[in-house]
Amino acid sequence: MESQTEENSSLMIKIASFIVDKRMLFFLIYIIVIIFSLFSKNWVKVENDLAEYLSDDTETRQGLDLMSQQFVTFGSAKIMVANITWEDAVKLAEEIRGVEGVSQVGFTEETAEESEFIKHYNNGSAMYSVTFRYSETDDRALEALDRVKEMLSGRDIYVSTTLGSQQAQIIEDEMSGIIMLVAVVVFVVLLFTSESYGEIPVMVLTFVISMVMNNGTNFLFGTISFVSNSVSSILQLALSVDYAIIFCNRYKEEYAGGLSVRDAVIVSLSKSIPEILSSSLTTVSGLFALVFMHFKIGADMGTILIKAIMLSLLSVFTLMPGLLVVFSGIMEKTKHKSFVPKISIIGKFDYLTRRIVPVLFLVVFGFAFYYSQKCPYVYGYSTLSTPVLNETQIAANLIRDNFGEENIIALVVPGHDYDKEARLIETLEKRGEVHHAQGLANTEAMGGYMLTDALTPRQFSELAGVDFELIELLYSAYAAEQEQYGRIIGGISSYRVPIMDMLLYIVEKVDEGYVTLDRDLYEKLSDAAEQISDGRKQLEGAEYDRILLYLNLPQESDETFAFIDEVHRIAQDDYENDEGLSVYVVGESTSQKDLRSSFETDNIIVSIVSVLFVLVILLFTFKSAGMPVLLIAVIEGAIFMNFSFPTLMHENLFFMGYLIVSSIQMGANIDYAIVISSRYTDLRKTMDRREAIIESLNFAFPTIITSGSMMILAGVFIGQMTSDPCIAGIGQCLGRGTTISVFLVMFVLPQILLVGDRIIAATAFDVSMPVRTREEKGTVMVNGAIRGTVNGTVIGTMNAVVRGEVKAVVVSGTMENASREVLKPAQTIEDKMFAYREEEKGGEQDA
């Protein structure tokens, strides 16, 4: 074991030496990577729809995929024009219809029922439902919307639409501002907590370059979620700042010990790599739990943040050493007194309250657990609010306040049985939960007939006002094309064809020149045919039909979710004989219903997996079964308290906030507890409990206040400065959760360690390994606890250079033969020792 440790130390020294001595090569590599990343970040595709991350086995995901294959969804927009009279509103509707690219404009008639009338004109405002001729993914739909906006530019208008990436651009602009503010905070915090102003550019360059690389490598995933794209940079900084601080503090210790800049960087890097990797394991394991989520955005978020941490580690290990060498002179010249105060008073308070606080914590833990289980999670944006609103949200809120909110779901059923579809629509419209339904079977054509009603030649002739002989001839031609020759032989007068099919057929034959109609009649039929064609594209597919249900229910409620199940049951009963074809219910409400189902599973998975991963890591870190349990209890308590606040404040919380922030709290915030606990465990070997806990808090406070304040302020800024409810919720929970974690590790964990001292000792374990006495001659550096003979017998902790022979068992720390030191350039440890011997000889000669 001892031999292996020595080999590992030697290997780390070799690796560190290579990194430091080849720093110019690494600088060049990073310059190339940064230039590449600045271009490649534009290759990243961002997905703004959370429904895209639903699991493939959810009904919503299957229904959305089916609808994209079977139907066309035309681009649409709701446009509210404020401060307009009814007469002007009617005229304006006609003007909008005349804009190029506009297919339909939904606006009420004056004779409509009051309940219908106020859906389009209310409080001196008009609301137009505009449908464009192009699908919602076609850029021409957005261009048509821009033309409508331009036509209405002189009026007070508010537009709500899903077209374009306006919301994504708004979020990106908001996050850019937040990142700049966080950068200022990082600078100020480092200014306050550093011991040299020269440290700041070293750390800032390391942070910025790792963030640029992370953004530039996101294209490897193809498409990432807007959540990951928005918060990954800020979370990367907050999660990985500890690594740079650990390395920088190590360097300052080694340099203060008398080593040259190069040697100090090499030695500190060789010691920091294992320490930092061990620290990062808890963070990575907490984030890795997200990958196991049923809801795929967890894997998206988890993998991107893990990649961010890996790149941060890479920057600290391969870029920061060179920066320390370059800025070492500035660091030496700009040293200043530390502004971080000693907090011995907190340590003394913790010791005095060691018998009270753990009991209070248990009580609070129980209450927090109870209320956190009642946290009012929501799965859509309809019931959420944010501290700031963007233009899109303001428009949507005004439209909702004046004209109410529509909740539309799509019912997808096996197609082409119009009679069955008509019966289903009639059944659903009788339900109080349904305002109205729209399908081909209940869309009026003319004269009270529906599009799917099948008419004889005589009925169609009278309805359309076309000569009967011509219609009879067209019916015969239609039957021939459909290869229904029996209809022709048996008498075409009783042959029935759906109105929409015959209208489209007549217009087609007119366009082909086979039939001639009066111009006015042709235009009338042509307009009707165009509307029918668009309607069929939206409502009729190759195998399925789509029925739109306009509900009198909110998007998200238990009643809504229960009615979705009822709709599914009713439709399934009607189509149970259609083998191989299923019934799907798709919409915002169904998406939220599926998200709730996923969350119930994901909540358990994330909680258990993150705890198990961290527990295993802590078990081998502390070699005690009791210590990991105590640390996890503190952080779990912080998580429960964090998510009790929404319950106590009666505020809804978007479910993503819990899944992401609980993982971060478990994986990252526990590092604060580890710093204090590790120091306390070491100091207990030589100090009593009171002094050990005081010194532990003094030692850990600079790291905790630096990392913790960055995480807290980053969360606060995200929570208060973004208009997206999901991202805002993550920020609010992150800031609040980190604040609670910092408070608990400073004012609760010390008392738990003091009380649990015996438990930790009783549950400690170690693997007994045979040790051998090492024997070194020449110049021997001893740094640690040894037991053996050094020109006499020594038992204790030494930090010394021994000239002569050492025979000892290394209990902890290191013992190296500087005569075999691997550092070769000038000013190595060996050179220093040689120079020291020569000076000593010279002194003897002078004497």
Side-chain angles (χ1 to χ4, degrees):
M1 180 177 179
E2 186 177 349
S3 177
Q4 184 179 358
T5 302
E6 185 178 355
E7 290 176 6
N8 291 339
S9 176
S10 177
L11 177 62
M12 287 292 103
I13 288 288
K14 291 179 181 179
I15 293 173
S17 300
F18 176 81
I19 292 172
V20 173
D21 293 338
K22 302 296 182 181
R23 57 186 177 275
M24 298 309 295
L25 172 62
F26 282 102
F27 287 162
L28 177 61
I29 293 173
Y30 273 101
I31 291 172
I32 295 172
V33 171
I34 290 301
I35 294 173
F36 173 80
S37 296
L38 292 174
F39 286 98
S40 62
K41 71 176 184 179
N42 298 317
W43 303 344
V44 181
K45 296 180 181 179
V46 179
E47 177 56 60
N48 298 298
D49 186 4
L50 289 177
E52 289 295 321
Y53 292 92
L54 285 167
S55 177
D56 293 336
D57 59 1
T58 60
E59 182 178 9
T60 300
R61 178 73 271 141
Q62 294 173 0
L64 287 172
D65 291 340
L66 179 66
M67 288 198 302
S68 67
Q69 300 166 6
Q70 296 273 325
F71 312 106
V72 174
T73 301
F74 290 103
S76 62
K78 290 183 177 180
I79 302 176
M80 186 182 99
V81 180
N83 304 312
I84 187 173
T85 64
W86 163 253
E87 292 75 14
D88 288 342
V90 173
K91 294 177 182 177
L92 192 59
E94 290 302 319
E95 293 178 18
I96 297 175
R97 288 189 182 98
V99 174
E100 181 186 354
V102 173
S103 173
Q104 298 179 32
V105 177
F107 193 67
T108 189
E109 297 180 359
E110 190 171 8
T111 57
E113 295 181 4
E114 182 179 358
S115 60
E116 187 64 28
F117 182 83
I118 62 176
K119 285 184 174 291
H120 291 275
Y121 187 81
N122 191 32
N123 298 329
S125 299
M127 205 278 285
Y128 305 97
S129 299
V130 181
T131 303
F132 302 102
R133 299 184 184 278
Y134 317 105
S135 72
E136 60 183 356
T137 58
D138 193 325
D139 290 339
R140 290 177 296 177
L142 190 58
E143 293 170 1
L145 175 60
D146 290 338
R147 286 192 288 270
V148 174
K149 289 181 180 179
E150 185 178 354
M151 190 266 286
L152 300 174
S153 59
R155 298 181 180 273
D156 187 9
I157 67 169
Y158 301 91
V159 180
S160 176
T161 182
T162 58
L163 296 177
S165 56
Q166 185 178 6
Q167 181 70 7
Q169 186 61 50
I170 290 171
I171 295 174
E172 185 175 342
D173 293 341
E174 289 174 348
M175 296 310 297
S176 297
I178 294 172
I179 289 175
M180 294 300 295
L181 192 54
V182 170
V184 173
V185 169
V186 169
F187 180 81
V188 172
V189 170
L190 292 177
L191 201 65
F192 176 76
T193 58
S194 66
E195 297 177 353
S196 169
Y197 297 125
E199 299 174 24
I200 299 175
V202 174
M203 293 194 182
V204 169
L205 281 172
T206 304
F207 297 151
V208 170
I209 289 174
S210 63
M211 284 190 289
V212 172
M213 288 195 302
N214 187 47
N215 289 332
T217 53
N218 282 337
F219 76 94
L220 297 172
F221 296 100
T223 301
I224 66 173
S225 70
F226 74 96
V227 181
S228 301
N229 187 58
S230 300
V231 302
S232 60
S233 294
I234 297 176
L235 292 182
Q236 178 184 11
L237 170 62
L239 292 171
S240 58
V241 64
D242 291 348
Y243 312 146
I245 294 173
I246 292 172
F247 182 26
C248 190
N249 288 341
R250 272 287 187 182
Y251 163 74
K252 288 183 291 186
E253 289 178 8
E254 299 297 337
Y255 184 71
L259 297 181
S260 67
V261 170
R262 175 183 175 278
D263 289 355
V265 174
I266 291 174
V267 173
S268 59
L269 179 59
S270 67
K271 294 179 179 179
S272 295
I273 289 176
E275 185 178 354
I276 292 173
L277 286 176
S278 176
S279 175
S280 68
L281 279 177
T282 55
T283 304
V284 171
S285 63
L287 294 173
F288 190 62
L290 294 173
V291 177
F292 291 88
M293 284 173 53
H294 197 241
F295 186 33
K296 294 180 181 178
I297 201 169
D300 176 84
M301 192 82 179
T303 51
I304 287 175
L305 284 178
I306 290 173
K307 174 173 69 72
I309 290 175
M310 294 296 104
L311 291 173
S312 295
L313 290 173
L314 185 66
S315 297
V316 169
F317 292 156
T318 60
L319 173 65
M320 193 172 171
L323 293 176
L324 285 173
V325 173
V326 172
F327 284 89
S328 58
I330 299 175
M331 290 173 62
E332 184 66 21
K333 293 177 182 177
T334 58
K335 282 184 177 180
H336 61 79
K337 181 181 177 181
S338 175
F339 300 119
V340 180
K342 295 288 185 180
I343 56 169
S344 299
I345 189 171
I346 295 179
K348 294 174 182 178
F349 170 81
D350 290 344
Y351 183 78
L352 290 174
T353 59
R354 65 189 182 280
R355 302 185 190 281
I356 302 173
V357 169
V359 177
L360 292 176
F361 174 70
L362 284 176
V363 174
V364 174
F365 187 97
F367 278 101
F369 175 78
Y370 174 79
Y371 284 108
S372 66
Q373 301 308 302
K374 295 183 176 296
C375 185
Y377 297 112
V378 294
Y379 308 91
Y381 287 178
S382 59
T383 61
L384 295 173
S385 60
T386 54
V388 296
L389 297 174
N390 57 51
E391 292 182 4
T392 302
Q393 290 170 322
I394 292 172
N397 289 343
L398 284 172
I399 292 173
R400 181 193 61 209
D401 293 342
N402 283 278
F403 301 102
E405 186 174 24
E406 284 187 337
N407 182 15
I408 307 173
I409 61 174
L411 175 58
V412 182
V413 297
H416 311 309
D417 190 335
Y418 302 129
D419 292 336
K420 186 181 292 186
E421 181 179 323
R423 290 195 299 271
L424 176 60
I425 291 174
E426 183 180 1
T427 300
L428 292 172
E429 286 192 319
K430 289 179 181 178
R431 298 292 300 249
E433 298 91 343
V434 178
H435 180 271
H436 69 281
Q438 181 182 351
L440 286 177
N442 74 329
T443 300
E444 186 174 352
M446 55 183 73
Y449 287 107
M450 302 302 157
L451 287 176
T452 58
D453 287 346
L455 303 184
T456 63
R458 176 69 66 184
Q459 290 173 319
F460 190 90
S461 171
E462 294 173 354
L463 177 65
V466 183
D467 182 70
F468 172 70
E469 286 75 13
L470 176 60
I471 293 299
E472 193 172 37
L473 180 63
L474 287 169
Y475 263 66
S476 298
Y478 181 84
E481 287 192 13
Q482 299 299 316
E483 298 182 354
Q484 298 179 352
Y485 303 109
R487 291 291 186 179
I488 302 175
I489 298 171
I492 202 68
S493 60
S494 61
Y495 182 35
R496 292 179 177 273
V497 178
I499 294 175
M500 58 183 182
D501 291 338
M502 186 49 62
L503 269 174
L504 292 173
Y505 184 74
I506 292 173
V507 172
E508 178 186 344
K509 294 307 173 185
V510 172
D511 291 340
E512 291 175 355
Y514 294 112
V515 178
T516 302
L517 294 177
D518 175 76
R519 182 177 180 83
D520 292 339
L521 178 59
Y522 170 73
E523 290 181 354
K524 176 184 176 182
L525 296 181
S526 180
D527 289 342
E530 184 177 0
Q531 299 297 329
I532 291 170
S533 178
D534 288 346
R536 293 186 78 166
K537 290 178 182 177
Q538 296 183 82
L539 300 175
E540 186 177 46
E543 298 174 294
Y544 286 86
D545 287 347
R546 178 162 59 175
I547 302 170
L548 302 180
L549 300 180
Y550 294 77
L551 305 183
N552 294 321
L553 298 170
Q555 281 191 2
E556 184 174 354
S557 71
D558 290 338
E559 185 182 2
T560 304
F561 296 157
F563 182 66
I564 289 173
D565 291 335
E566 181 69 8
V567 170
H568 199 283
R569 184 192 63 77
I570 293 171
Q572 195 67 55
D573 288 344
D574 283 352
Y575 289 89
E576 61 182 354
N577 295 325
D578 292 83
E579 297 182 2
L581 298 178
S582 301
V583 171
Y584 300 93
V585 183
V586 186
E588 286 293 333
S589 293
T590 55
S591 174
Q592 292 164 25
K593 181 174 180 290
D594 284 337
L595 288 174
R596 185 173 72 169
S597 298
S598 296
F599 175 70
E600 292 171 354
T601 303
D602 291 338
N603 184 11
I604 298 173
I605 291 175
V606 170
S607 299
I608 293 177
V609 172
S610 60
V611 168
L612 287 178
F613 281 165
V614 173
L615 184 64
V616 171
I617 293 169
L618 295 180
L619 197 63
F620 288 97
T621 299
F622 290 100
K623 295 183 175 62
S624 167
M627 180 68 83
V629 173
L630 296 178
L631 298 188
I632 289 177
V634 172
I635 298 302
E636 279 291 354
I639 294 173
F640 293 149
M641 291 179 196
N642 188 14
F643 293 98
S644 295
F645 274 81
T647 305
L648 299 173
M649 298 171 69
H650 303 289
E651 293 181 354
N652 291 334
L653 175 66
F654 194 66
F655 76 106
M656 283 291 295
Y658 173 81
L659 292 173
I660 292 175
V661 175
S662 63
S663 295
I664 292 174
Q665 274 193 267
M666 179 54 67
N669 290 175
I670 202 169
D671 282 349
Y672 308 150
I674 292 174
V675 172
I676 293 176
S677 303
S678 299
R679 191 67 172 181
Y680 175 75
T681 303
D682 290 339
L683 293 178
R684 279 291 288 128
K685 298 174 182 176
T686 57
M687 296 182 181
D688 61 27
R689 290 189 299 169
R690 182 177 183 276
E691 292 303 316
I693 204 65
I694 292 173
E695 289 303 316
S696 297
L697 289 175
N698 282 329
F699 170 79
F701 184 64
T703 301
I704 294 175
I705 196 64
T706 303
S707 175
S709 60
M710 289 183 187
M711 185 90 80
I712 291 168
L713 291 173
V716 170
F717 292 147
I718 294 173
Q720 297 299 316
M721 296 178 63
T722 182
S723 57
D724 184 84
C726 175
I727 298 173
I730 291 173
Q732 291 165 0
C733 293
L734 180 65
R736 183 175 61 232
T738 306
T739 302
I740 295 171
S741 296
V742 170
F743 177 82
L744 291 185
V745 299
M746 298 297 293
F747 291 97
V748 175
L749 176 64
Q751 291 91 324
I752 291 178
L753 291 175
L754 291 167
V755 173
D757 212 9
R758 295 181 179 178
I759 297 175
I760 297 170
T763 58
F765 64 88
D766 206 345
V767 180
S768 298
M769 297 291 290
V771 295
R772 63 182 178 85
T773 299
R774 289 178 53 188
E775 183 174 348
E776 300 288 353
K777 294 182 180 181
T779 302
V780 183
M781 296 183 66
V782 180
N783 182 15
I786 67 171
R787 182 174 66 251
T789 302
V790 184
N791 292 333
T793 300
V794 177
I795 299 177
T797 300
M798 295 183 62
N799 289 281
V801 175
V802 179
R803 299 187 308 278
E805 181 178 347
V806 178
K807 296 176 66 177
V809 173
V810 180
V811 178
S812 66
T814 60
M815 183 170 75
E816 300 174 2
N817 192 327
S819 304
R820 298 199 303 268
E821 179 58 57
V822 298
L823 311 178
K824 297 305 179 186
Q827 294 189 339
T828 61
I829 297 170
E830 187 177 351
D831 294 333
K832 289 183 178 181
M833 296 308 304
F834 178 77
Y836 179 80
R837 288 196 300 270
E838 291 301 311
E839 290 177 6
E840 197 173 58
K841 289 179 181 178
E844 292 175 355
Q845 292 173 359
D846 292 339

